[in-house]
Amino acid sequence: MAEPVTTPLLGELLQARGLVKPGEIDNALQVQARQGGRLGEVLVRLGAVSTNSLYGVLAEQLQAPLLDARELDEAAIRATLARLKLPASWWLDHQVLLWAVPEGLCVASADPLDLDVREALAAEPLGAHVRWHLLLPMDAEAWAQRLRHESQAGMGGSLDARTLRELAEDAPVVAFVNNTMAQALEARASDIHVEPGERECTLRFRI
């Protein structure tokens, strides 16, 4: 009889790789008990680990490869979103990107455990066979906004100053700043340089 396979706990994996200390896990568990949320999110919020490091471990735990967002095929994602039963806006609101492959669907998300998304996929004819991938939260948010705003622009929409202010105050922006600071601390950086471009920005750490 085959032995049951147990998935290592996230805290154990992070400690085994020297990314967090036992005391930081205990502190995060106390915060989680008071405020809720997932352990990884709490650890990032407390500055104990960077999002990049966390998702590298999550990819191993969930057996879902961590994607480089620059390698995503926008045309394939748009074509697949147009074929699904639920509207594209629903998937983008959940920050889920999908593209069809001969075996079924590839799905990229910052949260593969989202029950609403899993139920929606189960109801999709294309979702009979799903291959999950991880995306960093900032990448998932950026791609969802990009696809949504380009669709709005195609229908005559525009991004005015008020809309841009609302985007800047959104939670993902706050999470992005917190994560940037955590990465800088991990790298022992003395400076953070932001180089804005037309569609994206480059971050450089002085180490």
Side-chain angles (χ1 to χ4, degrees):
M1 184 175 179
E3 292 291 332
V5 178
T6 57
T7 302
L9 297 175
L10 178 62
E12 295 174 350
L13 289 172
L14 290 169
Q15 288 184 66
R17 282 148 188 75
L19 295 172
V20 297
K21 300 174 182 177
E24 292 172 323
I25 294 290
D26 294 339
N27 185 33
L29 288 172
Q30 293 176 17
V31 173
Q32 183 186 38
R34 293 194 305 267
Q35 302 178 3
R38 293 182 178 166
L39 179 62
E41 296 171 348
V42 176
L43 286 166
V44 170
R45 196 162 68 240
L46 294 176
V49 65
S50 71
T51 300
N52 289 30
S53 297
L54 171 67
Y55 270 71
V57 174
L58 279 175
E60 177 185 345
Q61 184 194 36
L62 301 176
Q63 298 184 347
L66 180 60
L67 289 183
D68 184 338
R70 294 170 295 183
E71 298 176 358
L72 292 172
D73 186 336
E74 181 174 346
I77 294 170
R78 287 190 178 280
T80 301
L81 287 172
R83 296 172 57 190
L84 299 176
K85 293 168 60 178
L86 286 173
S89 59
W90 189 91
W91 299 101
L92 296 179
D93 286 344
H94 286 76
Q95 299 177 18
V96 176
L97 308 179
L98 314 93
W99 60 98
V101 293
E103 310 84 55
L105 277 178
C106 284
V107 182
S109 168
D111 185 8
L113 302 179
D114 188 319
L115 292 179
D116 289 338
V117 173
R118 287 186 171 270
E119 289 177 1
L121 285 170
E124 291 285 349
L126 288 176
H129 299 283
V130 173
R131 187 188 308 164
W132 282 94
H133 298 78
L134 272 178
L135 272 179
L136 293 175
M138 66 187 73
D139 291 335
E141 169 69 13
W143 264 91
Q145 288 189 359
R146 171 180 173 178
L147 291 166
R148 188 183 297 113
H149 293 155
E150 287 182 359
S151 296
Q152 292 173 348
M155 295 184 294
S158 61
L159 291 177
D160 56 19
R162 179 180 177 182
T163 303
L164 290 173
R165 278 198 302 271
E166 290 174 352
L167 290 173
E169 294 168 358
D170 201 7
V173 176
V174 177
F176 168 74
V177 174
N178 289 343
N179 179 56
T180 300
M181 297 298 293
Q183 287 189 61
L185 287 171
E186 282 187 357
R188 298 182 181 277
S190 60
D191 300 79
I192 301 174
H193 296 267
V194 182
E195 300 175 3
E198 182 178 356
R199 296 178 62 111
E200 57 187 26
C201 71
T202 301
L203 292 178
R204 299 186 188 278
F205 296 156
R206 182 184 299 278
I207 300 177

